[in-house]
């Protein structure tokens, strides 16, 4: 069972500006804010962005991404729009992904550090 997932960042202030509104769309709020990390959750922290412990610049993992499930397609659309407005880049616009499932509706973005995140739903509307 997973407890939380952490990705790297090189700039916590930029991370807060990007993730605070993006996570709000997903129903998550900031639950952790310390010198080396910022985290989000609905109660406990389930997702965080951390400065690398070795002091080196953060690097996005090739093939790595974190997916967040939402209740409706409109939330996927809003996630994508808010992420782009906050400085993220599109890596797959909102739409059906029938190669995964006939009802898999998702959008993919990269945060300012290059980390790939996804919002998805299986809801019909």
């Amino acid at each position: 069972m997973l407890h939380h997932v952490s990705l790297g960042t090189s700039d916590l202030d930029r991370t807060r500006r990007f993730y605070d509104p993006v996570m709000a769309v997903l129903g998550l709020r900031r639950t952790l804010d310390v010198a080396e990390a910022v985290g989000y959750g609905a109660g406990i922290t389930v997702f965080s962005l951390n400065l690398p412990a070795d002091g080196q610049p953060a690097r996005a993992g090739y093939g790595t991404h974190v997916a967040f499930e939402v209740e409706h397609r409109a939330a996927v659309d809003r996630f994508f729009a808010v992420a782009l407005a906050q400085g993220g880049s599109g890596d797959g616009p909102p739409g059906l992904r029938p190669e995964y499932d006939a009802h898999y509706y998702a959008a993919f973005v990269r945060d300012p550090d290059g980390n790939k995140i996804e919002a998805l739903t299986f809801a019909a509307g």
Side-chain angles (χ1 to χ4, degrees):
M1 166 105 25
L2 288 175
H3 182 271
H4 69 277
V5 174
S6 298
L7 299 176
T9 183
S10 293
D11 184 332
L12 286 172
D13 289 333
R14 181 183 67 199
T15 292
R16 288 181 196 92
R17 287 191 305 273
F18 176 81
Y19 277 101
D20 283 0
V22 170
M23 291 291 107
V25 171
L26 302 175
L28 303 175
R29 63 179 173 75
R30 194 181 319 162
T31 53
L32 174 73
D33 199 343
V34 295
E36 67 281 349
V38 61
Y40 298 88
I44 63 165
T45 300
V46 297
F47 176 69
S48 66
L49 293 300
N50 301 54
L51 297 172
D54 64 5
Q56 297 299 309
R59 294 180 306 278
Y62 183 74
T64 300
H65 84 276
V66 178
F68 298 92
E69 189 170 3
V70 296
E71 290 189 34
H72 304 285
R73 290 181 182 185
V76 172
D77 297 343
R78 180 144 171 74
F79 159 85
F80 190 76
V82 169
L84 296 184
Q86 296 303 316
S89 58
D91 203 34
L96 286 170
R97 304 298 196 277
E99 63 273 25
Y100 304 137
D101 182 274
H103 302 287
Y104 197 108
Y105 187 86
F108 300 84
V109 297
R110 295 216 177 249
D111 72 10
D113 285 295
N115 295 307
K116 188 174 183 177
I117 57 174
E118 171 189 3
L120 71 103
T121 187
F122 290 94

